[in-house]
Amino acid sequence: MEKFKRLKNEGNDFVKMGDYEEAASKYSECMKLNTEECTVYTNRALCYLKLYKYEEAKQDCDHVLQIEDSNIKAFYRRALAYKGLQVRKKNMAGI
């Protein structure tokens, strides 16, 4: 549990610095230790949104909502992921 907290805090620090790739990596390591902790999934979803990885963000939010069906951050970030996917789809159609 101590390693989990350390990795999560490191991920949070990377988010604050704007290093979303590294933060997502730390959150992914956290998930190997605990798959039920929803905050690391919503945090990684935020990183994926910042990196324009909308499908990955949506998947993380879907996972959270299977565990906590009223998680507001997961709903909000999934909506942002859907929005990003729609914009990407429209841009591809215009090519």
Side-chain angles (χ1 to χ4, degrees):
M1 201 61 188
E2 193 61 40
K3 184 177 182 184
F4 176 88
K5 283 183 182 177
R6 182 178 52 77
L7 288 168
K8 183 179 171 193
N9 288 334
E10 288 175 11
N12 294 344
D13 290 341
F14 281 117
V15 167
K16 290 173 191 165
M17 291 186 289
D19 189 346
Y20 301 109
E21 284 283 353
E22 197 60 43
S25 175
K26 294 295 179 184
Y27 296 136
S28 295
E29 287 182 52
C30 286
M31 291 167 193
K32 293 175 187 170
L33 301 172
N34 182 351
T35 60
E36 299 298 308
E37 178 64 45
C38 292
T39 56
V40 292
Y41 285 90
T42 56
N43 289 359
R44 189 172 74 171
L46 169 70
C47 295
Y48 285 151
L49 288 169
K50 296 286 189 181
L51 297 167
Y52 309 104
K53 296 181 177 183
Y54 302 117
E55 185 60 41
E56 292 89 338
K58 185 186 92 54
Q59 289 172 4
D60 277 357
C61 293
D62 287 343
H63 178 81
V64 170
L65 292 169
Q66 287 176 345
I67 299 167
E68 291 180 12
D69 62 358
S70 61
N71 187 301
I72 300 299
K73 278 188 181 177
F75 274 117
Y76 178 68
R77 291 182 179 160
R78 184 171 71 174
L80 293 175
Y82 275 123
K83 184 177 178 183
L85 288 167
Q86 288 301 107
V87 168
R88 182 176 289 161
K89 199 179 289 183
K90 284 180 185 174
N91 288 342
M92 294 299 281
I95 292 177

PDB file of all heavy atoms in Angstrom, residues 19-32:
ATOM      1  N   ASP A  19       3.594  17.052 -17.213  1.00  0.00           N
ATOM      2  CA  ASP A  19       4.198  15.883 -17.867  1.00  0.00           C
ATOM      3  C   ASP A  19       3.189  14.728 -17.808  1.00  0.00           C
ATOM      4  O   ASP A  19       3.265  13.851 -16.955  1.00  0.00           O
ATOM      5  CB  ASP A  19       5.504  15.500 -17.176  1.00  0.00           C
ATOM      6  CG  ASP A  19       6.294  14.440 -17.935  1.00  0.00           C
ATOM      7  OD1 ASP A  19       5.708  13.806 -18.851  1.00  0.00           O
ATOM      8  OD2 ASP A  19       7.475  14.242 -17.614  1.00  0.00           O
ATOM      9  N   TYR A  20       2.233  14.753 -18.733  1.00  0.00           N
ATOM     10  CA  TYR A  20       1.107  13.820 -18.696  1.00  0.00           C
ATOM     11  C   TYR A  20       1.495  12.398 -19.081  1.00  0.00           C
ATOM     12  O   TYR A  20       0.906  11.448 -18.580  1.00  0.00           O
ATOM     13  CB  TYR A  20      -0.039  14.340 -19.567  1.00  0.00           C
ATOM     14  CG  TYR A  20      -0.516  15.696 -19.089  1.00  0.00           C
ATOM     15  CD1 TYR A  20      -0.264  16.848 -19.832  1.00  0.00           C
ATOM     16  CD2 TYR A  20      -1.177  15.824 -17.869  1.00  0.00           C
ATOM     17  CE1 TYR A  20      -0.681  18.084 -19.380  1.00  0.00           C
ATOM     18  CE2 TYR A  20      -1.589  17.068 -17.415  1.00  0.00           C
ATOM     19  CZ  TYR A  20      -1.343  18.187 -18.175  1.00  0.00           C
ATOM     20  OH  TYR A  20      -1.740  19.418 -17.716  1.00  0.00           O
ATOM     21  N   GLU A  21       2.483  12.248 -19.946  1.00  0.00           N
ATOM     22  CA  GLU A  21       2.964  10.903 -20.317  1.00  0.00           C
ATOM     23  C   GLU A  21       3.518  10.189 -19.085  1.00  0.00           C
ATOM     24  O   GLU A  21       3.189   9.036 -18.813  1.00  0.00           O
ATOM     25  CB  GLU A  21       4.053  10.985 -21.392  1.00  0.00           C
ATOM     26  CG  GLU A  21       3.553  11.268 -22.785  1.00  0.00           C
ATOM     27  CD  GLU A  21       2.941  10.063 -23.474  1.00  0.00           C
ATOM     28  OE1 GLU A  21       2.997   8.940 -22.944  1.00  0.00           O
ATOM     29  OE2 GLU A  21       2.389  10.275 -24.564  1.00  0.00           O
ATOM     30  N   GLU A  22       4.378  10.886 -18.361  1.00  0.00           N
ATOM     31  CA  GLU A  22       5.008  10.297 -17.177  1.00  0.00           C
ATOM     32  C   GLU A  22       3.972  10.050 -16.084  1.00  0.00           C
ATOM     33  O   GLU A  22       4.010   9.023 -15.401  1.00  0.00           O
ATOM     34  CB  GLU A  22       6.129  11.205 -16.672  1.00  0.00           C
ATOM     35  CG  GLU A  22       7.091  10.541 -15.723  1.00  0.00           C
ATOM     36  CD  GLU A  22       7.821   9.338 -16.309  1.00  0.00           C
ATOM     37  OE1 GLU A  22       8.264   9.406 -17.476  1.00  0.00           O
ATOM     38  OE2 GLU A  22       7.934   8.315 -15.599  1.00  0.00           O
ATOM     39  N   ALA A  23       3.035  10.974 -15.937  1.00  0.00           N
ATOM     40  CA  ALA A  23       1.977  10.800 -14.935  1.00  0.00           C
ATOM     41  C   ALA A  23       1.133   9.572 -15.250  1.00  0.00           C
ATOM     42  O   ALA A  23       0.844   8.759 -14.363  1.00  0.00           O
ATOM     43  CB  ALA A  23       1.099  12.050 -14.891  1.00  0.00           C
ATOM     44  N   ALA A  24       0.751   9.414 -16.513  1.00  0.00           N
ATOM     45  CA  ALA A  24      -0.046   8.255 -16.920  1.00  0.00           C
ATOM     46  C   ALA A  24       0.705   6.959 -16.636  1.00  0.00           C
ATOM     47  O   ALA A  24       0.118   5.969 -16.194  1.00  0.00           O
ATOM     48  CB  ALA A  24      -0.411   8.352 -18.407  1.00  0.00           C
ATOM     49  N   SER A  25       2.002   6.985 -16.840  1.00  0.00           N
ATOM     50  CA  SER A  25       2.833   5.816 -16.559  1.00  0.00           C
ATOM     51  C   SER A  25       2.802   5.467 -15.064  1.00  0.00           C
ATOM     52  O   SER A  25       2.675   4.285 -14.704  1.00  0.00           O
ATOM     53  CB  SER A  25       4.268   6.084 -17.014  1.00  0.00           C
ATOM     54  OG  SER A  25       5.104   5.026 -16.655  1.00  0.00           O
ATOM     55  N   LYS A  26       2.891   6.470 -14.213  1.00  0.00           N
ATOM     56  CA  LYS A  26       2.842   6.237 -12.758  1.00  0.00           C
ATOM     57  C   LYS A  26       1.485   5.682 -12.351  1.00  0.00           C
ATOM     58  O   LYS A  26       1.400   4.745 -11.543  1.00  0.00           O
ATOM     59  CB  LYS A  26       3.131   7.527 -11.983  1.00  0.00           C
ATOM     60  CG  LYS A  26       4.536   8.043 -12.157  1.00  0.00           C
ATOM     61  CD  LYS A  26       5.572   7.089 -11.575  1.00  0.00           C
ATOM     62  CE  LYS A  26       6.975   7.621 -11.789  1.00  0.00           C
ATOM     63  NZ  LYS A  26       7.996   6.697 -11.324  1.00  0.00           N
ATOM     64  N   TYR A  27       0.416   6.236 -12.913  1.00  0.00           N
ATOM     65  CA  TYR A  27      -0.924   5.741 -12.583  1.00  0.00           C
ATOM     66  C   TYR A  27      -1.102   4.306 -13.074  1.00  0.00           C
ATOM     67  O   TYR A  27      -1.742   3.492 -12.409  1.00  0.00           O
ATOM     68  CB  TYR A  27      -2.001   6.651 -13.168  1.00  0.00           C
ATOM     69  CG  TYR A  27      -2.003   8.050 -12.586  1.00  0.00           C
ATOM     70  CD1 TYR A  27      -2.143   9.166 -13.393  1.00  0.00           C
ATOM     71  CD2 TYR A  27      -1.855   8.262 -11.210  1.00  0.00           C
ATOM     72  CE1 TYR A  27      -2.149  10.449 -12.871  1.00  0.00           C
ATOM     73  CE2 TYR A  27      -1.855   9.546 -10.677  1.00  0.00           C
ATOM     74  CZ  TYR A  27      -2.008  10.634 -11.509  1.00  0.00           C
ATOM     75  OH  TYR A  27      -2.012  11.903 -10.987  1.00  0.00           O
ATOM     76  N   SER A  28      -0.521   3.983 -14.213  1.00  0.00           N
ATOM     77  CA  SER A  28      -0.590   2.611 -14.729  1.00  0.00           C
ATOM     78  C   SER A  28       0.108   1.642 -13.775  1.00  0.00           C
ATOM     79  O   SER A  28      -0.380   0.532 -13.543  1.00  0.00           O
ATOM     80  CB  SER A  28       0.044   2.521 -16.120  1.00  0.00           C
ATOM     81  OG  SER A  28      -0.695   3.283 -17.047  1.00  0.00           O
ATOM     82  N   GLU A  29       1.240   2.074 -13.215  1.00  0.00           N
ATOM     83  CA  GLU A  29       1.934   1.239 -12.229  1.00  0.00           C
ATOM     84  C   GLU A  29       1.059   1.037 -10.991  1.00  0.00           C
ATOM     85  O   GLU A  29       1.033  -0.056 -10.419  1.00  0.00           O
ATOM     86  CB  GLU A  29       3.269   1.880 -11.830  1.00  0.00           C
ATOM     87  CG  GLU A  29       4.328   1.797 -12.905  1.00  0.00           C
ATOM     88  CD  GLU A  29       5.649   2.392 -12.450  1.00  0.00           C
ATOM     89  OE1 GLU A  29       6.134   1.997 -11.368  1.00  0.00           O
ATOM     90  OE2 GLU A  29       6.183   3.265 -13.165  1.00  0.00           O
ATOM     91  N   CYS A  30       0.352   2.082 -10.583  1.00  0.00           N
ATOM     92  CA  CYS A  30      -0.569   1.976  -9.443  1.00  0.00           C
ATOM     93  C   CYS A  30      -1.625   0.904  -9.688  1.00  0.00           C
ATOM     94  O   CYS A  30      -1.982   0.144  -8.784  1.00  0.00           O
ATOM     95  CB  CYS A  30      -1.281   3.305  -9.196  1.00  0.00           C
ATOM     96  SG  CYS A  30      -0.290   4.587  -8.449  1.00  0.00           S
ATOM     97  N   MET A  31      -2.118   0.856 -10.918  1.00  0.00           N
ATOM     98  CA  MET A  31      -3.190  -0.078 -11.252  1.00  0.00           C
ATOM     99  C   MET A  31      -2.743  -1.534 -11.144  1.00  0.00           C
ATOM    100  O   MET A  31      -3.558  -2.413 -10.897  1.00  0.00           O
ATOM    101  CB  MET A  31      -3.716   0.212 -12.655  1.00  0.00           C
ATOM    102  CG  MET A  31      -4.448   1.511 -12.729  1.00  0.00           C
ATOM    103  SD  MET A  31      -4.718   1.976 -14.427  1.00  0.00           S
ATOM    104  CE  MET A  31      -5.215   3.669 -14.213  1.00  0.00           C
ATOM    105  N   LYS A  32      -1.458  -1.763 -11.330  1.00  0.00           N
ATOM    106  CA  LYS A  32      -0.938  -3.124 -11.171  1.00  0.00           C
ATOM    107  C   LYS A  32      -1.023  -3.558  -9.710  1.00  0.00           C
ATOM    108  O   LYS A  32      -1.113  -4.744  -9.424  1.00  0.00           O
ATOM    109  CB  LYS A  32       0.505  -3.205 -11.664  1.00  0.00           C
ATOM    110  CG  LYS A  32       0.644  -3.006 -13.149  1.00  0.00           C
ATOM    111  CD  LYS A  32       2.106  -2.978 -13.563  1.00  0.00           C
ATOM    112  CE  LYS A  32       2.247  -2.605 -15.031  1.00  0.00           C
ATOM    113  NZ  LYS A  32       3.638  -2.339 -15.390  1.00  0.00           N
TER     114      LYS A  32
END
